[in-house]
Amino acid sequence: ANNLLYIDAGNDRVGIGTNAPSASLEVATGGTFRSPRLPMVSVSASTTLTEATHAGAYLKCAGNVTLPATSSEGEHYTILNTTTGNITVSPSVSTNINGGSNGAAITVATYNAVTCIAIGSNNWIALGV
């Protein structure tokens, strides 16, 4: 029988409704997960985003930011411009956004937002600009 909560400390895995998790956190088929909102992280101007600190959260950006130089497919950043002026989101060296030339930044207007998703080979697609 499956355990409601199973911890495999030897492999750093947790299962909910399964006693054989194959991922760091696994919820059994048919199980549900609820999160009313993503965490909010304040980001200083001129910051290069990192997966460990910024991915998967709402990023309240005080100014221009740069996407990571290396990424994993599906890695994503939701950038909220809460300033009274435009901010830019720049790709790192040898990466691009929406198929643009390397180094071409995108503009996020005041009180607007964009989600940037890594699509492989350190390229990004921006949704909601």
Side-chain angles (χ1 to χ4, degrees):
N2 289 337
N3 298 325
L4 179 60
L5 179 63
Y6 178 82
I7 299 172
D8 180 353
N11 292 307
D12 294 329
R13 295 179 180 165
V14 174
I16 299 175
T18 177
N19 58 5
S22 59
S24 297
L25 174 63
E26 183 171 334
V27 178
T29 301
T32 60
F33 174 80
R34 181 177 186 274
S35 177
R37 66 181 73 178
L38 293 173
M40 181 74 72
V41 175
S42 292
V43 179
S44 301
S46 303
T47 296
T48 297
L49 304 177
T50 65
E51 184 174 11
T53 304
H54 304 107
Y58 290 124
L59 306 176
K60 186 177 179 180
C61 296
N64 302 338
V65 294
T66 302
L67 294 168
T70 59
S71 61
S72 302
E73 288 181 8
E75 185 177 329
H76 67 281
Y77 302 88
T78 298
I79 298 157
L80 310 175
N81 179 3
T82 58
T83 71
T84 57
N86 295 343
I87 66 171
T88 59
V89 177
S90 299
S92 292
V93 177
S94 301
T95 65
N96 68 62
I97 301 173
N98 291 344
S101 61
N102 289 341
I106 57 172
T107 301
V108 181
T110 187
Y111 300 113
N112 213 327
V114 64
T115 296
C116 296
I117 304 169
I119 57 171
S121 301
N122 296 324
N123 292 301
W124 299 89
I125 186 165
L127 307 171
V129 176

